[in-house]
Amino acid sequence: MKKLAFYCSIMLLLAITFDSCKTGTTTQKTDTEYAQVIAQGTFTFSAQHVIPTRGTSRYLSGDYSVRLSGDTLDVYLPFFGRAYSAPMNLGEGGYKFVSTDFDYEVTSQKKGMYTVTVTPNDITNNDIQGTVLFFDLGTNGYGSLRVRSNNREMISFTGTFE
């Protein structure tokens, strides 16, 4: 009887532990909700993995993201690779800028996949001038991003968006 009470208390403890580990009530978006978010241009792409043109790919630890919120583009991404001109401030490596004047174009590749091209028009930083962002987004919440710039090699990221 003591063993049964012991095992029941262990099971209850495990049930409470696993129940408290849940991350709240998360609701998965539907395909049409993802398609709406892409069409409106109001999403946040969170980069989880970087694939430079040269070197090895690696997972990212940190809050690297691209946020589109209607009329504002906020980019905070790392850069690994060859730059054809060095930044004036060595602490300003990577892609870190905010743009309020940009072109946003969505094309449908196939069912459930969209290509989004974002071209900022108001970047004055010579190191990242001519930057174009190419997103390949799926209606499952996952996507990839290719960043092309005049003074740097192309770099790719994979991650999620919402």
Side-chain angles (χ1 to χ4, degrees):
M1 186 69 175
K2 286 184 180 181
K3 281 186 178 181
L4 181 62
F6 175 75
Y7 287 124
C8 287
S9 62
I10 294 289
M11 294 300 277
L12 181 63
L13 182 64
L14 287 173
I16 291 171
T17 303
F18 286 125
D19 189 51
S20 67
C21 290
K22 291 181 182 175
T23 58
T25 57
T26 59
T27 58
Q28 184 70 19
K29 291 183 179 180
T30 63
D31 291 353
T32 54
E33 288 174 327
Y34 278 120
Q36 248 181 348
V37 166
I38 294 168
Q40 292 172 353
T42 55
F43 62 87
T44 299
F45 176 83
S46 299
Q48 299 170 343
H49 191 252
V50 61
I51 307 158
T53 302
R54 300 169 195 254
T56 59
S57 62
R58 58 191 82 162
Y59 287 98
L60 296 172
S61 60
D63 187 26
Y64 296 110
S65 63
V66 176
R67 289 183 178 85
L68 277 141
S69 59
D71 62 348
T72 304
L73 169 68
D74 186 5
V75 177
Y76 180 68
L77 295 170
F79 178 75
F80 304 98
R82 180 183 226 172
Y84 302 113
S85 64
M88 295 300 284
N89 182 357
L90 295 178
E92 293 182 1
Y95 292 97
K96 300 170 189 151
F97 63 89
V98 176
S99 174
T100 56
D101 179 21
F102 57 90
D103 298 327
Y104 184 84
E105 181 184 345
V106 179
T107 55
S108 177
Q109 289 181 336
K110 57 184 176 179
K111 184 177 179 173
M113 287 296 296
Y114 296 90
T115 298
V116 177
T117 305
V118 181
T119 308
N121 298 320
D122 58 351
I123 297 177
T124 58
N125 185 342
N126 288 334
D127 297 328
I128 55 176
Q129 208 165 23
T131 299
V132 180
L133 308 169
F134 301 98
F135 294 93
D136 290 319
L137 304 174
T139 55
N140 58 0
Y142 293 95
S144 65
L145 166 64
R146 295 180 318 276
V147 182
R148 187 189 74 207
S149 180
N150 287 345
N151 294 325
R152 297 178 182 185
E153 285 183 326
M154 187 176 277
I155 189 166
S156 299
F157 300 90
T158 60
T160 60
F161 75 97
E162 55 185 47

